[in-house]
Amino acid sequence: MSMTASDFNSPSQFQALDRTALLEPLKHVFRDFAFLDLEVRSPTDQEFVDWILAAVVYCEGDFGDGEVELMVTPEFGMTVARNYLGASDLPESFTQDILKEATNIIAGRSYEILKHGHCPRNLGPPRLLEPNQAMTRWNRAPSDQRTLILADDRIVGGLVVTLRENME
Amino acid sequence: MAINVLIVDDSAGTRMVIERAIRLSGDDIGDIRHAANGQEALLALREVWIDMIFSDVNMPVMDGWEFIRRVRETEIWSSIPIAAITSLRGEEARSSLHDLGATTYHSKPLSPENIVSIFTEMKARLT
């Protein structure tokens, strides 16, 4: 089953999730994954973002389903890949591969945090998004589902977590 | 005797990280085979004797759940140590993978030190 960002636009489908609970674990993922100390926070309306590299993972479990999208600038994507692989000269395909891997890890962690320790039954596989798809998803997502990732006060990435309740 | 290892993960980068850490462990490492999913991994198992397996769980084509189940159902492979590596951290996943026959369970991301530690733990189980 796949979904689009518009499928998640109805706030009534969402349980009241404490999305601030994601912020610290998200920082830990980047620290463990790529040895990076980053800041994460909610975006403001005035901030312009322009995502080029993006991946999405669909999560499904007994406590709901949804998608997690990680969007990054090319430079940050390359930094994450270099740090994770411990290699300085990488083809672009490796940056995409590592972005998908990072998205998968963040998706699993996000589901477990927001669903109070319950794992998704199905997770992934991650797939890449075109830049225009990524921008559309970012712009359409309600602000409380979006998180900005910053390095040295510069915006380097964003995360959209759209998990909805199992309506059955 | 050299140890043959099978690494199963749909991320080529993660397979590379695991292989490098194993080769730096200082042990006598033989063949290290890579597979991008469970189906490729079953083919690799038929080609060469494998002493231990590092397997991702969430993969396309054939996931780790099905792969581990098939390995454990096949008599000659049934005692090969398998480290299940997953993006999930919860006790539910740990328990399910243990019941399925995974030898050990670990959450991503793994540091090189984690990988060497898993390798050492699994090596101790080799008969």
Side-chain angles (χ1 to χ4, degrees), chain A residues 8 11-22 25 58-68 106-123 145 161-168, chain B residues 88 90-92:
Chain A
F8 294 98
S12 63
Q13 291 184 330
F14 293 93
Q15 62 187 153
L17 300 172
D18 178 12
R19 288 168 195 280
T20 57
L22 281 179
Y58 175 68
C59 320
E60 179 187 38
D62 294 337
F63 293 83
D65 64 353
E67 289 183 326
V68 174
I106 290 169
R109 198 70 47 86
S110 299
Y111 191 101
E112 288 185 72
I113 291 166
L114 295 177
K115 301 296 181 183
H116 309 291
H118 295 286
C119 295
R121 215 176 330 103
N122 295 315
L123 182 65
Q145 292 170 22
V161 179
T162 48
L163 295 178
R164 64 180 186 181
E165 281 235 63
N166 191 339
M167 302 303 283
E168 291 177 17
Chain B
L88 308 177
E91 190 53 40
E92 272 179 290

Side-chain angles (χ1 to χ4, degrees), chain A residues 18-102:
Chain A
D18 178 12
R19 288 168 195 280
T20 57
L22 281 179
L23 299 183
E24 278 304 310
L26 183 61
K27 288 167 69 172
H28 280 288
V29 168
F30 280 104
R31 195 171 300 145
D32 293 346
F33 189 84
F35 316 107
L36 291 168
D37 276 319
L38 302 170
E39 286 303 315
V40 291
R41 64 166 169 79
S42 299
T44 65
D45 290 339
Q46 287 77 34
E47 284 163 319
F48 175 75
V49 293
D50 187 13
W51 309 126
I52 302 295
L53 270 174
V56 60
V57 171
Y58 175 68
C59 320
E60 179 187 38
D62 294 337
F63 293 83
D65 64 353
E67 289 183 326
V68 174
E69 297 146 34
L70 177 62
M71 304 149 178
V72 297
T73 61
E75 296 76 19
F76 181 63
M78 181 63 82
T79 299
V80 170
R82 281 178 179 159
N83 286 9
Y84 179 62
L85 297 173
S88 57
D89 192 18
L90 295 170
E92 190 182 350
S93 62
F94 269 96
T95 305
Q96 294 171 345
D97 176 86
I98 300 310
L99 176 70
K100 289 197 288 183
E101 185 74 340

